[in-house]
Amino acid sequence: MLHGLIRPVEAHSVTLKGEDLAEVRAQLTAQAPAGWDLVSAMATMEKAGSMRSVEGKFLRRDGIREIEGDDMAALESQMPEGWQLLSVWKTS
């Protein structure tokens, strides 16, 4: 019997502006929904002045479920669209 862990694959982006990058990053981190992680924060300079625009990308990390099947095809057939297989292990 094979067992697998799956989770939904979802992404969410937010763009914030500010002069202090550390402050903007703290604001991005504070905006992370429960179960989501900030995975990137790309900063760009505005054309005039000291303002920076920061695009933060969040990925969903919760919603993990366990599935089981006799073989990989059985596991894959149980995965809903938009989900990813994280790990597989075998039990006797």
Side-chain angles (χ1 to χ4, degrees):
M1 178 66 65
L2 293 179
H3 299 266
L5 287 180
I6 62 173
R7 76 166 170 223
V9 177
E10 293 183 56
H12 166 67
S13 295
V14 173
T15 301
L16 299 176
K17 294 183 182 192
E19 292 184 13
D20 183 343
L21 282 178
E23 182 180 308
V24 173
R25 182 168 171 87
Q27 290 174 12
L28 279 172
T29 302
Q31 288 192 20
W36 294 64
D37 288 337
L38 178 64
V39 295
S40 71
M42 180 68 73
T44 55
M45 290 289 293
E46 295 289 314
K47 292 185 184 201
S50 60
M51 291 292 281
R52 291 178 170 88
S53 177
V54 180
E55 180 181 12
K57 182 178 179 182
F58 300 91
L59 293 180
R60 185 171 179 184
R61 300 295 193 206
D62 67 350
I64 293 176
R65 268 186 14 202
E66 185 176 331
I67 57 175
E68 61 181 47
D70 292 329
D71 54 27
M72 279 302 293
L75 287 182
E76 291 169 350
S77 72
Q78 295 178 56
M79 287 182 45
E81 187 173 327
W83 287 63
Q84 72 182 133
L85 184 62
L86 300 174
S87 62
V88 175
W89 67 96
K90 185 176 181 176
T91 59
S92 16

